[in-house]
């Protein structure tokens, strides 16, 4: 299933995309978090009994989880080629040995939906960058989960653009501020449920800026895989249903070019992952 949150006649609703992606069936859940927490049998029943579909052209897609309950958990430098380009850009900030994964969080007051705007924050942000990432959505409470059982705790997958203010990120050393500004977390266009994607996911992932291909890789190249991420994080913290984990970005971000190709107002960023879709946003 491909599940979405959308706005129709002023009301926020969750729904099921039709097979052709051209329409959406409303589902009887208060929001996406409530849907995720419900027994899977209830979701299956609701999908079978779904009412008439609305054409996608009649609704406004929002981020699948517009207001995450907790900060998004992110992986930094989790593709080897991205590690290399990051070190070339700023060896002091990104270089050195990384014997363990880099985790950081991203504050999200409200996630940006498909076709929504990435805020450029004039006067504050000078080096605005994009990062296409596969995001994991946790489906049931995870604590002390073994890697072998990690897949059982995944509800589904979506796309997250980890928009970054590079100067703020490197100046502050810790990445929280440079990653957490308003309008810096586009998510969508949908959540594809885990049963639709083989585990571990080996999906084509790419990004384009104004139509120019920038990132082009596959999600099976993660340095720290999803099972190990869930095992390590859940060994010391409880991952609640609806928790979003962004797994890192491949090479081809703006800072990786010589000279760098940072974003500016008017640029259109399209992040695409196989079996999920395309998340497109404009910088303003």
């Amino acid at each position: 299933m491909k599940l979405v949150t959308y706005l129709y006649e002023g009301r926020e609703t969750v729904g099921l995309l039709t097979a052709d992606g051209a329409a959406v069936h409303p589902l009887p859940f208060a929001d996406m978090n409530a849907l995720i927490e419900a027994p899977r049998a209830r979701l299956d029943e609701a999908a079978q009994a779904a009412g008439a579909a609305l054409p996608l052209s009649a609704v406004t897609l929002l981020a699948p989880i517009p207001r995450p309950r907790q900060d998004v958990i992110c992986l930094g430098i989790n593709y080897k080629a991205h590690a290399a380009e990051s070190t070339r850009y700023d060896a002091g900030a990104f270089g050195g040995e990384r014997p363990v994964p880099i985790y950081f969080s991203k504050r999200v007051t409200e996630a940006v939906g498909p076709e929504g705007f990435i805020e450029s924050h004039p006067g504050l942000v000078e080096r605005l960058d994009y990062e296409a990432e596969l995001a994991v959505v946790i489906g049931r409470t995870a604590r002390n989960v073994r890697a072998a059982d990690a897949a059982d705790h995944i509800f589904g997958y979506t796309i997250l653009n980890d928009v970054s203010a590079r100067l703020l990120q490197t100046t502050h050393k810790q990445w929280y501020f440079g990653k957490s500004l308003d309008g810096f977390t586009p998510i969508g266009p949908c959540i594809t449920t885990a049963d639709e994607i083989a585990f571990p996911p080996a999906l084509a992932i790419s990004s384009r800026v104004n139509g120019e291909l920038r990132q082009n890789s596959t999600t099976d190249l993660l340095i720290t895989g999803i099972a190990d991420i869930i095992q390590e994080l859940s060994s010391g913290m409880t991952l609640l249903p609806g928790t979003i984990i962004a797994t890192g970005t491949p090479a081809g971000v703006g800072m990786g070019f010589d000279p760098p190709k940072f974003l500016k107002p008017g640029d259109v960023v399209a992040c695409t992952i196989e079996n999920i879709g395309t998340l497109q946003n404009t910088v303003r």
Side-chain angles (χ1 to χ4, degrees), residues 177-193:
F177 186 35
K179 296 277 192 173
S180 298
L181 302 183
D182 292 344
F184 269 27
T185 312
I187 303 176
C190 65
I191 295 174
T192 299
T193 53

Side-chain angles (χ1 to χ4, degrees), residues 76-78 80 82-84 86-87 93-102 223:
I77 317 295
N78 203 28
K80 288 182 179 178
H82 177 56
S86 300
T87 300
F94 299 111
E97 294 296 321
R98 284 175 288 271
V100 295
I102 297 172
I223 296 171

Side-chain angles (χ1 to χ4, degrees), residues 16-172:
L16 169 67
L17 285 180
T18 55
D20 61 4
V24 58
H25 294 282
L27 295 174
F29 297 91
D31 56 26
M32 190 64 75
N33 281 319
L35 184 155
I36 292 168
E37 290 180 326
R40 178 58 192 254
R42 185 180 166 205
L43 171 58
D44 291 340
E45 291 170 3
Q48 289 291 330
L54 294 165
L56 214 58
S57 58
V59 308
T60 300
L61 285 185
L62 305 176
I65 304 177
R67 289 163 294 279
R69 290 173 175 169
Q70 299 173 304
D71 287 2
V72 173
I73 302 171
C74 302
L75 271 285
I77 317 295
N78 203 28
Y79 288 78
K80 288 182 179 178
H82 177 56
E85 70 177 357
S86 300
T87 300
R88 287 195 303 269
Y89 174 73
D90 190 331
F94 299 111
E97 294 296 321
R98 284 175 288 271
V100 295
I102 297 172
Y103 296 110
F104 62 95
S105 65
K106 190 174 179 82
R107 178 167 293 278
V108 186
T109 301
E110 185 163 356
V112 178
E115 305 298 336
F117 293 99
I118 296 168
E119 299 294 339
S120 61
H121 294 275
L124 177 62
V125 174
E126 297 179 18
R127 303 173 188 173
L128 185 64
D129 213 344
Y130 55 89
E131 295 187 4
E133 306 202 8
L134 175 68
V136 176
V137 180
I138 295 296
R140 60 190 179 97
T141 301
R143 183 67 193 269
N144 296 321
V145 175
R146 299 182 307 157
D149 300 323
D152 297 335
H153 291 74
I154 297 172
F155 176 79
Y157 303 91
T158 189
I159 305 169
L160 186 146
N161 184 352
D162 181 18
V163 179
S164 306
R166 295 301 185 196
L167 188 57
L168 288 178
Q169 179 186 4
T170 55
T171 298
H172 286 266

Side-chain angles (χ1 to χ4, degrees), residues 78 134-136 138 147 150-151 154 157 199-201 219 222-232 245 247:
N78 203 28
L134 175 68
V136 176
I138 295 296
I154 297 172
Y157 303 91
F199 188 83
T219 61
L222 294 174
I223 296 171
T224 302
I226 293 168
D228 290 328
I229 292 168
I230 292 173
Q231 174 176 278
E232 183 165 52
I245 303 172
T247 59

